[in-house]
Amino acid sequence: AWASALAQGYNDWLYHRFSSQTPRLKGVALLAPQDPKAAAAELRRCVKELGFCAGLLPSVTNNRTPLYGSPVFHEIYDEAERLNVPLTIHGGVSQNLGLDRVASFLEAHMLEHPVGLFLQITNMVFQGVFQEFPKLRVAYLEAGAGWVPFMMDRMEEDYEKFAARLAPNLKSPPSTFFKSGNIFVTMEVEERTAPYIPELVHPDVIMWASDFPHERERDQFGGDLPHLRARKDLSDEFKNKMLFDNPVRFYHLSEGDIAAARKAKGN
């Protein structure tokens, strides 16, 4: 009850302090996985009443909360499909990942985002979430994009070995869901594996990871977009998809949303 109330309080603050002030800012509803029924209701409230465009679930939870492949979360996925809004999964803490054994915050910080995402996407794929909810759009955030082909290949290999016995209800190999266009990730501007991701996975599911204005000062992030635009190993078409087309599709932004934001920027 406390987690659900905290999420609702945060969402109200986000609306009143930011998204209600300008159409240039869109809210994403913080959802408490401890109570999926309340989380589904909060997602509906935030979309219908506050104009939010997505929901967020933490990638790291406690041992009393199942991973997101569990049927207890289907109520959230049902609601997201009905509302035609995506869900995002994002880390932020290093507890409950075995990272108490590393030597410093640097090591824990490097591992906490990808490890949490690996747990959730593996469970969601093999427990059939994307098979059961073919219209559900989910983004796995702040771990780059280079891990996606690696994890897709790992899942594919174990699907071939074990799925008949251990995942008999999964009718398609994991690569089918990765290539469906409904699993999104964010990419850092300096990732050296970037040229391979569109071909190996899907060109329409990569979005720019700005993380603005978190952690870095302006002189640190100010060169990100010029660096991305200057890269010769990425096509202009892909850069435009990464920066505009893919986020528009993921968040289901309308022409009205975009026009209002441009008008507000002009003002």
Side-chain angles (χ1 to χ4, degrees):
W2 180 85
S4 296
L6 184 66
Q8 182 175 341
Y10 169 84
N11 294 330
D12 286 342
W13 168 81
L14 184 65
Y15 172 75
H16 289 297
R17 179 67 180 84
F18 292 102
S19 64
S20 66
Q21 303 302 310
T22 171
R24 296 186 67 194
L25 298 175
K26 287 285 188 180
V28 172
L30 182 64
L31 306 175
Q34 295 91 334
D35 187 342
K37 184 177 181 65
E42 179 63 2
L43 179 64
R44 181 168 58 253
R45 181 185 80 92
C46 288
V47 172
K48 294 289 190 180
E49 298 179 18
L50 307 184
F52 285 13
C53 63
L56 183 144
L57 291 164
S59 66
V60 182
T61 58
N62 57 48
N63 286 330
R64 298 184 301 277
T65 303
L67 294 175
Y68 297 139
S70 170
V72 303
F73 296 106
H74 284 193
E75 191 163 3
I76 300 175
Y77 306 149
D78 270 328
E79 193 62 49
E81 280 199 333
R82 277 195 294 269
L83 296 167
N84 194 21
V85 296
L87 296 174
T88 61
I89 299 179
H90 180 270
V93 298
S94 56
Q95 294 176 329
N96 204 33
L97 293 175
L99 299 183
D100 53 320
R101 303 177 65 191
V102 300
S104 70
F105 168 77
L106 182 155
E107 297 173 26
H109 184 268
M110 192 202 80
L111 293 168
E112 63 189 7
H113 284 291
V115 171
L117 296 185
F118 292 174
L119 287 169
Q120 297 294 357
I121 194 170
T122 298
N123 189 244
M124 293 175 75
V125 168
F126 282 115
Q127 295 304 310
V129 169
F130 297 102
Q131 177 176 280
E132 185 74 16
F133 299 92
K135 296 180 181 179
L136 180 67
R137 304 188 302 282
V138 180
Y140 297 85
L141 302 178
E142 205 172 339
W147 61 270
V148 180
F150 164 77
M151 283 296 286
M152 186 170 65
D153 286 348
R154 290 285 296 175
M155 288 188 195
E156 203 83 353
E157 182 176 357
D158 275 29
Y159 175 83
E160 294 170 1
K161 291 179 180 177
F162 305 119
R165 179 166 54 92
L166 299 177
N169 295 323
L170 195 62
K171 305 304 181 185
S172 302
S175 59
T176 302
F177 306 111
F178 279 95
K179 293 177 177 291
S180 69
N182 287 338
I183 295 177
F184 287 71
V185 293
T186 50
M187 179 181 286
E188 307 292 337
V189 298
E190 295 177 343
E191 286 192 58
R192 287 176 288 180
T193 56
Y196 309 103
I197 310 301
E199 179 181 351
L200 294 173
V201 185
H202 198 299
D204 296 340
V205 299
I206 311 299
M207 300 183 289
W208 172 44
S210 72
D211 208 22
F212 171 83
H214 183 228
E215 287 189 340
R216 300 187 299 163
E217 298 299 328
R218 181 178 294 274
D219 61 343
Q220 294 176 305
F221 66 74
D224 284 359
L225 287 178
H227 176 85
L228 176 64
R229 285 296 193 187
R231 287 188 65 163
K232 302 300 184 184
D233 56 347
L234 299 174
S235 70
D236 289 340
E237 179 186 10
F238 175 69
K239 293 172 189 174
N240 290 334
K241 285 188 174 190
M242 181 178 171
L243 293 171
F244 184 82
D245 297 335
N246 296 348
V248 166
R249 186 173 75 86
F250 177 70
Y251 290 109
H252 195 63
L253 301 179
S254 68
E255 290 292 336
D257 292 326
I258 298 167
R262 285 174 172 161
K263 182 179 179 181
K265 181 182 180 182
N267 292 337

